Amino acid sequence: MDTLATTSPSNVVQDPTQTLQRFDLLDLQQYTQEKSYSTNASKDFHLFYVGRDDVHEILKHVLSRVSVSLYMNMFGFDDDELNDILMTLAADPGITMMITLDKSQAGGVHEKKLLDSDMARNPTAFNTYFVVGQSATHQISHTKGFVADGKVGGEGSTNWSASGEGTFVVKGKAGGPGYKAQNNTQTIFTDPDAVSRFQTELIAEHMAARHG
């Protein structure tokens, strides 16, 4: 595997024994403000709030444990650490990926720098798995979500950026010098029907962007 991404309690992309095969939504309650869910919380759907829950760590937790497949469309793509996870996964021939990014956003200063770096780092993987484009009707590709290993879905208003995710700069809680957080939500779900239908939609959006 690629060696740029680093290992941390939530980012375990360098540890192949850490997977989503036995994933449970309870695994993510540690990243909520309360560190636990309500007793009547759903077992296959949970809604997290940027600025209150540590959405950046939630995304790292799920994505770094991908071992089979990742289908994803992300409108705003400005997170270096999540990008490193994707590029590490892209270097693994045992993982199938389709990553769709929006054409209008790709021209932004930070996103363009990230994508240029990805291309230089592994042009074969980038051209194989990533596509930058538009919707089927040539509008923005505004979906913000993924399906990991055919088991775990994520969707919401959260763009991948420091303010979009409300990246915590004080460990374990929101706030600190320079802290910014937009009003965004992030859902994680394991309902098999929703996961299957969303994966199919993400594949269709990827193909539309590639051939548009």
Side-chain angles (χ1 to χ4, degrees):
M1 272 194 169
D2 194 300
T3 59
L4 183 58
T6 57
T7 300
S8 70
S10 59
N11 181 358
V12 295
V13 71
Q14 297 297 341
D15 184 355
T17 68
Q18 298 289 325
T19 73
L20 297 172
Q21 295 307 300
R22 295 187 178 181
F23 177 81
D24 191 298
L25 279 176
L26 291 173
D27 298 343
L28 304 180
Q29 65 181 350
Q30 62 183 304
Y31 305 116
T32 65
Q33 186 180 75
E34 300 82 5
K35 309 301 180 188
S36 64
Y37 301 149
S38 169
T39 55
N40 62 350
S42 169
K43 296 185 183 302
D44 58 18
F45 173 91
H46 202 82
L47 177 64
F48 302 94
Y49 300 96
V50 165
R52 189 175 194 280
D53 304 314
D54 198 339
V55 169
H56 181 64
E57 295 297 310
I58 289 167
L59 294 171
K60 284 164 54 180
H61 183 108
V62 176
L63 294 170
S64 70
R65 286 166 170 78
V66 168
S67 61
V68 178
S69 63
L70 179 64
Y71 299 91
M72 189 186 97
N73 192 344
M74 184 49 57
F75 180 66
F77 189 77
D78 286 334
D79 187 310
D80 296 78
E81 188 171 16
L82 295 182
N83 177 70
D84 281 347
I85 289 173
L86 295 192
M87 289 305 293
T88 301
L89 298 176
D92 187 337
I95 298 175
T96 299
M97 293 206 307
M98 284 187 171
I99 308 298
T100 311
L101 303 175
D102 178 67
K103 182 178 180 180
S104 66
Q105 291 291 300
V109 175
H110 189 197
E111 184 160 337
K112 185 178 187 302
K113 181 179 178 181
L114 267 183
L115 299 181
D116 287 348
S117 174
D118 291 345
M119 174 66 83
R121 177 175 167 185
N122 192 334
T124 299
F126 184 83
N127 288 323
T128 299
Y129 299 123
F130 287 71
V131 63
V132 178
Q134 298 176 307
S135 75
T137 59
H138 305 291
Q139 312 300 302
I140 61 174
S141 187
H142 200 245
T143 300
K144 306 167 188 177
F146 61 85
V147 169
D149 287 357
K151 293 177 176 294
V152 184
E155 197 275 337
S157 63
T158 300
N159 285 306
W160 283 12
S161 67
S163 59
E165 301 164 34
T167 305
F168 286 20
V169 292
V170 176
K171 188 65 178 175
K173 63 179 181 178
Y179 179 75
K180 296 179 180 179
Q182 299 170 356
N183 291 334
N184 281 325
T185 57
Q186 178 68 56
T187 65
I188 301 294
F189 55 92
T190 56
D191 171 66
D193 179 64
V195 165
S196 175
R197 293 177 68 244
F198 193 32
Q199 179 169 298
T200 300
E201 173 61 22
L202 290 169
I203 293 172
E205 291 177 4
H206 185 87
M207 299 306 292
R210 183 172 292 278
H211 298 297

